[in-house]
Amino acid sequence: MNELLARKMNPKSLDEVVGQEHLIGNNKILSNLVKNKRIFSMILYGPPGIGKTSIATAIVNDLGCKYRFLNATINNKKDFDQVVEEAKMFDGLVLIMDEIHRLNKDKQDLLLPQLESGLITLIGMTTSNPYHAINPAIRSRCQLYELKPLKIDDITKALKKAIKSGNLPKIKINDDAIDYIAKISGNDLRYAYNLLEVAYYSTSDKKIDLDILKKINNKPAFYSDKDGDGHYDLLSAFQKSIRGSDVDAALHYLGRLIEFGDLDSIYRRMSVICYEDIGLANPNMGPRVMAAISACELVGLPEARIPLAEVVVELALSPKSNTAYLALARALEDIEKGNIGPIPDVIKINTTTYKYPHDYPGSFVVQQYMPDNLVGKKYYIPKDSGYEINLKQVYDKIDKLKKRN
């Protein structure tokens, strides 16, 4: 079986690792640990293809440690038992573990005492957020290090090193092609290496240009795992850009979600935005969004991009109000604290004193609706903007009539 270029380019020491300057380099945490010949259990987390495995193997290579590599999902309890026995034999062992967020209880129970005693030093790796996805008992015994997405310059530098390495003999490639690979790699160095290697072997003369690359792949390798933080970060960026009225950023994140093909999440997020962020400032946006969703479902992609673009521009540039959202939050806070009180007799089912508002001028009559202990309580605080100006006028008028009576 032929070894892939990405594997051949794995760094042998921390000095060869691309990026992650906040952890690696002069007087940085991981470099200092290696320099001082010490290692502690740690978890490396971040998107795929940015160097988690490379850093883990570079650390053990630099320290000359005995180590084993396991995957929390693939390897069974027997494999873990064997690692423990090897650790006892060598008086210590580094266990590099991928997918650590999938470690089940049996394996955790086996591993925890060995981490506690120091017999096994763990280097865990995950694309998930360890604060949410990893068992607290494991997490408390490890230092957590977040790896940052690689910059385009980092990937360009790594590609040029691969080109000069001799692993792709007689390769011919210009700077435009290298830049293209770096830009569509989605910060994933493994993806960039793989695209370079596929392009190399898909030509007869080993000459790689933009035409060849675009025939192989012209879509960015976005990291947006539906089960992980990348997906929710993207949806969060989409909503916050609309909330902040940055129409260009909103369209950018919409484009990334469309490229990922995740229409359902777009629909749900836009519906939430209508009522959480636009709210009473522009109540018409609710029906507008539902109409756009219906149009998208009718025409499908790629034409669905048109109604989505229109409605996202409207959402971003619409006046904003979260007053109804906050009003209910205040009411729920009172309820959760037990601040409720009996329902007034006048609005109970079997009442003879209830005044029917439609029988009065303006369909309004003053009577008590709030429990006695909450009379005068204000949950709704209207804004002076958009459609809500009209609601505020009515609200203030009713408030004056209540006070007068």
Side-chain angles (χ1 to χ4, degrees), residues 182-198:
K183 285 175 181 175
I184 72 163
S185 66
N187 310 113
D188 185 334
L189 182 55
R190 187 187 301 112
Y191 178 91
Y193 282 145
N194 290 342
L195 179 54
L196 176 66
E197 189 171 21
V198 170

Side-chain angles (χ1 to χ4, degrees), residues 5 168 193-203 208 212 216:
L5 175 65
L168 303 172
Y193 282 145
N194 290 342
L195 179 54
L196 176 66
E197 189 171 21
V198 170
Y200 173 78
Y201 284 108
S202 65
T203 64
I208 301 172
I212 292 292
I216 297 169

